[in-house]
Amino acid sequence: MKIGVCIKQVPDTAAKISVNGDGSGIVEEGIKFVMSPYDEYAVEEALLTKEKISGSEVVAFSVGPKRVQEALRSALAMGCDQAVHINTEGQDSIDALATAKALASQVTSQGVGLLFTGKQAADHDHAQVSQMLAELLTWPHVTVVSKFELNGETGAKVERDVEGGSKQVWEVEFPAVLAANKGLNEPRYASLKGIMQAKKKPMNEVPVADAVEGPDALNAKVKLENFRVPPARKAGKVFKDDPKAAAKEVARLLREEAKVI
């Protein structure tokens, strides 16, 4: 079986982000880009599944400019067998639907029978591509997956987190798309041997215009604009009075200044 995993390259969550002059996006110069954290869980689960299904291989997919190949090489270093880079270099930013269309075409052409994704990306936080991808492929989809258990080689039983700390258990038949949540597993670190091997593993580069059909396929239905950095947090107040006096002052400020009670 071919197992696929979709990843996205995002700014490092520890990076200091600044907005460009016209508010159309962020300043990318000097920022370290990494694999989106939820996608690391997806890669790990794909590799664990490969170990359980004899003769299987893992293909990593990603959409983005040339720099995205760094994230794909990280997936290869973790243990993926090959990668597909859908190159958007020079293309205006594409939205979630166009991304899903591009991924769906390559997932289909690669003959993938089981696909893992992260539940959402750490930059835009939209949580849309995985569901759209499943719809385009007409495959069953389960998101926020926190436990995955193979049911033979034709299906799986998965556990997903829901509000209130509850769990749901679903059974799916392959092919299927599963979106990983934090806690699904413990992503492995790439070994030195894996990093060296990743340099020799195949990476197929496909122009995004060749990955989708139709003249309007890449026209974004959703455009992001007017990016702004959140206002700086005001300095906190420290109360050094006795507890009773401090509690009364806090209550007064919450009522009269913050107006939240």
Side-chain angles (χ1 to χ4, degrees):
M1 176 191 287
K2 269 195 178 181
I3 304 165
V5 58
C6 296
I7 66 174
K8 184 178 183 182
Q9 190 188 49
V10 300
D12 190 329
T13 52
K16 184 177 180 180
I17 303 298
S18 57
V19 176
N20 57 26
D22 60 4
S24 61
I26 66 170
V27 178
E28 295 190 356
E29 289 76 13
I31 289 181
K32 179 183 178 182
F33 284 86
V34 298
M35 185 191 306
S36 186
Y38 289 114
D39 297 345
E40 293 180 0
Y41 297 100
V43 172
E44 178 63 24
E45 200 61 36
L47 296 174
L48 291 173
T49 306
K50 170 190 170 181
E51 294 168 2
K52 297 171 184 175
I53 301 179
S54 177
S56 59
E57 61 176 316
V58 178
V59 185
F61 300 86
S62 191
V63 178
K66 197 76 174 178
R67 58 172 166 75
V68 163
Q69 292 189 10
E70 298 174 8
L72 284 170
R73 289 293 176 195
S74 295
L76 293 174
M78 289 174 70
C80 293
D81 299 286
Q82 58 176 300
V84 176
H85 172 212
I86 304 170
N87 194 345
T88 63
E89 195 74 43
Q91 168 75 36
D92 290 338
S93 61
I94 62 175
D95 61 8
L97 180 57
T99 299
K101 287 178 178 178
L103 288 168
S105 73
Q106 295 307 300
V107 167
T108 300
S109 68
Q110 287 288 327
V112 169
L114 172 61
L115 186 65
F116 291 95
T117 73
K119 71 168 186 174
Q120 64 198 86
D123 53 358
H124 292 154
D125 241 13
H126 288 164
Q128 295 177 336
V129 170
S130 188
Q131 292 89 331
M132 290 178 174
L133 187 48
E135 179 69 18
L136 292 167
L137 293 168
T138 66
W139 293 359
H141 179 271
V142 184
T143 189
V144 202
V145 173
S146 56
K147 187 175 181 180
F148 174 85
E149 182 180 327
L150 280 172
N151 185 10
E153 295 185 3
T154 61
K157 182 167 71 173
V158 299
E159 196 173 274
R160 67 182 300 267
D161 299 317
V162 294
E163 292 181 1
S166 301
K167 303 281 186 180
Q168 289 180 344
V169 177
W170 292 73
E171 290 190 5
V172 295
E173 297 294 322
F174 300 153
V177 182
L178 304 174
N181 193 18
K182 181 179 180 181
L184 174 60
N185 50 54
E186 186 64 37
R188 68 192 69 185
Y189 290 101
S191 65
L192 179 58
K193 180 180 178 181
I195 294 170
M196 298 306 293
Q197 290 177 336
K199 297 177 181 179
K200 299 178 181 179
K201 291 181 179 180
M203 183 176 302
N204 184 25
E205 187 173 335
V206 181
V208 68
D210 295 345
V212 292
E213 297 180 357
D216 297 325
L218 294 177
N219 291 342
K221 305 297 187 295
V222 176
K223 294 184 178 181
L224 303 178
E225 57 185 25
N226 195 22
F227 281 67
R228 289 174 291 174
V229 176
R233 180 180 295 180
K234 295 180 180 179
K237 294 184 178 180
V238 178
F239 300 90
K240 297 182 179 180
D241 298 327
D242 67 88
K244 286 187 178 180
K248 289 180 65 175
E249 181 63 8
V250 169
R252 185 189 69 79
L253 290 172
L254 290 174
R255 185 181 300 107
E256 298 176 6
E257 187 174 299
K259 299 185 185 301
V260 294
I261 61 172

